[in-house]
Amino acid sequence: MGESIEVYLDGLEELKRDFSKLRVSAPEIVKMAVNETAIKARQDLYKKADSTYKVKKTKFNKSLKLNKASVSSLTATIHTKGRPLALSAFEYRRHTKAGRAAKAHQLQSTRPVQLGKPGYRAFVARMQNAKGPGHIGIFVRIKGSQMENKKKEQIKEFYGSGVPVMIGGERVYGSLKKQIEDELKYSLRRHAERILNSMEG
């Protein structure tokens, strides 16, 4: 099971308060305004996440799905789901000298952080997979985890934030929420006024 986030845009109540006389046209107005706002909100969420995190675009691309509103269902939903991403999906550096650990960081505003402890520094390697070439990850050996009759210690992989966490946090959706709400109100008024003007003409 992966984490998920959903952003709902529903303009019906706003329209009822401000344009109660447009009962016949209200559903169509709401649909147009909500979908217009949702399309822009999806673009803004992606741009904000891209400028906030060091995640590789190939791991993030097409992560935001949009279910548009219809006349019968006046709510648009922007949703994403997924597990935490391997830390190698973010910016990282391999260790360059003996005893120096791999470094990685997730935020654009931070510097790479050395991972692991002395004697158990993190390292970058490709984990083999029976079904394919495997994936590149950042790992660390677990102290005292040697299995019987084996000299090598077990390893564990470092993981970073998943896409839902990145999108749903205060740095992304939290910072855009008020802007999205204001854009929905503006779009509702603009479309309603356009309908009023056409009726008067």
Side-chain angles (χ1 to χ4, degrees):
M1 294 291 290
E3 297 176 274
S4 65
I5 177 176
E6 296 183 333
V7 178
Y8 294 94
L9 294 173
D10 188 343
L12 185 57
E13 293 304 317
E14 180 72 22
L15 188 68
K16 283 180 178 178
R17 286 195 298 269
D18 293 348
F19 301 98
S20 58
K21 296 180 180 180
L22 297 179
R23 294 175 183 175
V24 176
S25 302
E28 187 65 29
I29 293 171
V30 173
K31 185 193 77 171
M32 289 188 294
V34 168
N35 287 336
E36 180 179 84
T37 305
I39 290 171
K40 188 175 187 307
R42 180 176 60 176
Q43 296 171 343
D44 290 342
L45 286 167
Y46 178 86
K47 289 178 182 178
K48 185 64 176 178
D50 185 51
S51 66
T52 303
Y53 292 93
K54 287 296 231 177
V55 65
K56 297 174 183 177
K57 290 185 178 180
T58 54
K59 301 293 184 180
F60 197 93
N61 195 28
K62 297 181 180 179
S63 60
L64 296 179
K65 306 297 182 181
L66 171 59
N67 292 333
K68 291 185 176 181
S70 65
V71 172
S72 60
S73 178
L74 296 172
T75 300
T77 307
I78 303 170
H79 62 93
T80 183
K81 63 181 179 179
R83 300 175 183 275
L85 297 175
L87 196 55
S88 56
F90 299 84
E91 184 168 293
Y92 68 88
R93 300 177 188 175
R94 295 175 180 269
H95 62 274
T96 55
K97 295 181 180 179
R100 182 174 294 178
K103 295 182 177 182
H105 66 133
Q106 297 184 71
L107 293 174
Q108 297 278 10
S109 58
T110 61
R111 296 180 178 181
V113 177
Q114 186 168 279
L115 303 170
K117 300 178 180 180
Y120 287 86
R121 296 298 191 188
F123 59 92
V124 179
R126 181 179 291 279
M127 178 60 66
Q128 297 300 315
N129 190 318
K131 297 181 180 179
H135 74 282
I136 294 176
I138 302 176
F139 304 90
V140 66
R141 299 193 184 282
I142 303 173
K143 184 177 181 180
S145 63
Q146 296 97 329
M147 299 182 69
E148 189 176 352
N149 300 324
K150 291 186 178 181
K151 295 181 180 180
K152 291 185 177 180
E153 294 169 309
Q154 296 179 37
I155 61 174
K156 71 175 182 179
E157 185 173 0
F158 286 94
Y159 287 86
S161 299
V163 174
V165 173
M166 288 186 275
I167 292 295
E170 287 300 314
R171 292 185 175 93
V172 181
Y173 179 58
S175 67
L176 293 174
K177 185 177 180 181
K178 181 62 165 56
Q179 174 186 318
I180 293 171
E181 291 172 349
D182 289 344
E183 287 174 350
L184 177 57
K185 292 176 182 179
Y186 170 76
S187 185
L188 283 166
R189 291 177 183 278
R190 182 165 55 80
H191 283 291
E193 288 171 0
R194 178 175 58 81
I195 295 296
L196 277 173
N197 292 334
S198 66
M199 291 171 64
E200 292 173 355

